[in-house]
Amino acid sequence: MSIIITVSNQKGGVGKTTTSAAIASGIFLAGKRVLGIDLDPQGNLGFCLGAGMDNPYTVLDVLKGTVPVQEALFKSDYGDLLVSDITLSSSGLESIKGRREYILRDAIKPVIDQYDYIIIDTPPALNLLTVNAYSVSDFLIIPMASDILSLVGLAQLKETIDTVRETFNPSLNVLGILLTRFNARTLLSRDVLEMAQQLANQISSRVFDTKIRSGVAVAEAPAHGESIFSYNPRSSAVKDYLAFLDEIAPEIHLKEVADNG
């Protein structure tokens, strides 16, 4: 049975897709079977993991049931992908009658057992796509940039998590809050860390020990068609993501990720 992890924050620009890609590629490079699912209409997860713009099928085809999930899979250098594009922003999924919150779960059910991990990247919004991701997931990771604006709206995120737990997925576990663009030398980052810890307590979770520092390598790697682990393994941010992988999936051998990157 696969472990399903959703990376989510309703605010954009917090490192959500970078984190999703780092988890998926890192776990794959460690020898695990990985499926990445892009539920963001911007389609950036697919781009980060090597998918082009000319894919015959997207995750929307799978969600609508017009294409079996097996036919829609894109085979990347970092595992299988269900890619996305802008058509997902006007998907029409809201008009589907019945169990709309379980559309994703039902759509990927035929392949769930084929993977060790499934990583889901979500849009920067709390909508039906996000709820579908939460409803199928075992764990939720919340990336948060180290600035005050990233705290705005997290109360609404807490309400959504509580609703999903009460109504659709009582087993949803918030694995933790991941601070990105972190600089331990600044008062702002330390203040955000303190407030993030307070929020984590409210949702029965934690702030990860690992904090992701700023680094251009994580932004440059997709443009070169590489994972962050192969593009610049000496980058401080890349080293942080390696430590983060060890924190969330300790069975992964980090040396294998670094060597295979």
Side-chain angles (χ1 to χ4, degrees), residues 157-183:
L157 178 62
K158 176 185 178 299
E159 292 177 6
T160 301
I161 293 169
D162 290 343
T163 299
V164 170
R165 281 173 168 166
E166 294 169 3
T167 311
F168 309 116
N169 183 5
S171 299
L172 179 64
N173 181 8
V174 182
L175 201 53
I177 296 173
L178 175 66
L179 291 180
T180 61
R181 301 206 302 268
F182 188 80
N183 185 346

Side-chain angles (χ1 to χ4, degrees), residues 30-96:
K32 304 297 183 180
R33 299 169 299 168
V34 178
L35 170 62
I37 301 178
D38 194 349
L39 290 184
D40 189 340
Q42 297 178 79
N44 289 335
L45 180 63
F47 177 72
C48 288
L49 296 178
M53 304 297 292
D54 56 348
N55 304 288
Y57 305 116
T58 71
V59 67
L60 181 57
D61 297 305
V62 177
L63 294 175
K64 286 189 169 182
T66 56
V67 175
V69 61
Q70 298 93 328
E71 292 184 25
L73 295 174
F74 175 86
K75 305 291 184 179
S76 82
D77 292 335
Y78 304 104
D80 293 347
L81 290 171
L82 287 175
V83 300
S84 176
D85 62 23
I86 195 62
T87 59
L88 192 59
S89 63
S90 56
S91 63
L93 296 180
E94 290 81 4
S95 63
I96 295 178

Side-chain angles (χ1 to χ4, degrees), residues 13-255:
V14 298
K16 178 177 57 62
T17 298
T18 298
T19 298
S20 301
I23 296 172
S25 60
I27 290 175
F28 178 81
L29 291 169
K32 304 297 183 180
R33 299 169 299 168
V34 178
L35 170 62
I37 301 178
D38 194 349
L39 290 184
D40 189 340
Q42 297 178 79
N44 289 335
L45 180 63
F47 177 72
C48 288
L49 296 178
M53 304 297 292
D54 56 348
N55 304 288
Y57 305 116
T58 71
V59 67
L60 181 57
D61 297 305
V62 177
L63 294 175
K64 286 189 169 182
T66 56
V67 175
V69 61
Q70 298 93 328
E71 292 184 25
L73 295 174
F74 175 86
K75 305 291 184 179
S76 82
D77 292 335
Y78 304 104
D80 293 347
L81 290 171
L82 287 175
V83 300
S84 176
D85 62 23
I86 195 62
T87 59
L88 192 59
S89 63
S90 56
S91 63
L93 296 180
E94 290 81 4
S95 63
I96 295 178
K97 296 181 180 180
R99 295 150 51 95
R100 294 181 301 169
E101 295 80 10
Y102 298 108
I103 296 171
L104 177 63
R105 186 191 68 178
D106 295 341
I108 66 172
K109 187 175 182 180
V111 300
I112 280 183
D113 291 336
Q114 297 178 19
Y115 300 97
D116 299 307
Y117 287 85
I118 296 175
I119 310 301
I120 305 174
D121 188 25
T122 54
L126 297 177
N127 55 21
L128 183 58
L129 292 170
T130 307
V131 171
N132 265 267
Y134 290 8
S135 296
V136 75
S137 294
D138 302 300
F139 299 105
L140 177 64
I141 291 173
I142 305 170
M144 193 176 88
S146 300
D147 59 57
I148 297 300
L149 291 178
S150 292
L151 294 168
V152 177
L154 286 181
Q156 186 181 358
L157 178 62
K158 176 185 178 299
E159 292 177 6
T160 301
I161 293 169
D162 290 343
T163 299
V164 170
R165 281 173 168 166
E166 294 169 3
T167 311
F168 309 116
N169 183 5
S171 299
L172 179 64
N173 181 8
V174 182
L175 201 53
I177 296 173
L178 175 66
L179 291 180
T180 61
R181 301 206 302 268
F182 188 80
N183 185 346
R185 294 173 293 182
T186 67
L187 177 61
L188 176 59
S189 285
R190 296 195 296 270
D191 286 345
V192 170
L193 171 58
E194 181 179 347
M195 288 182 279
Q197 288 170 332
Q198 294 172 3
L199 172 67
N201 291 335
Q202 295 175 18
I203 55 178
S204 303
S205 187
R206 58 173 175 150
V207 176
F208 289 109
D209 293 334
T210 305
K211 316 296 188 297
I212 310 298
R213 290 167 286 181
S214 296
V216 296
V218 296
E220 293 174 345
H224 293 266
E226 297 185 45
S227 78
I228 61 172
F229 303 110
S230 62
Y231 178 69
N232 187 355
R234 294 184 299 276
S235 163
S236 59
V238 174
K239 291 177 181 177
D240 293 339
Y241 271 116
L242 276 172
F244 175 61
L245 283 174
D246 188 43
E247 193 170 352
I248 65 170
E251 80 278 8
I252 291 175
H253 302 292
L254 296 185
K255 185 178 185 304

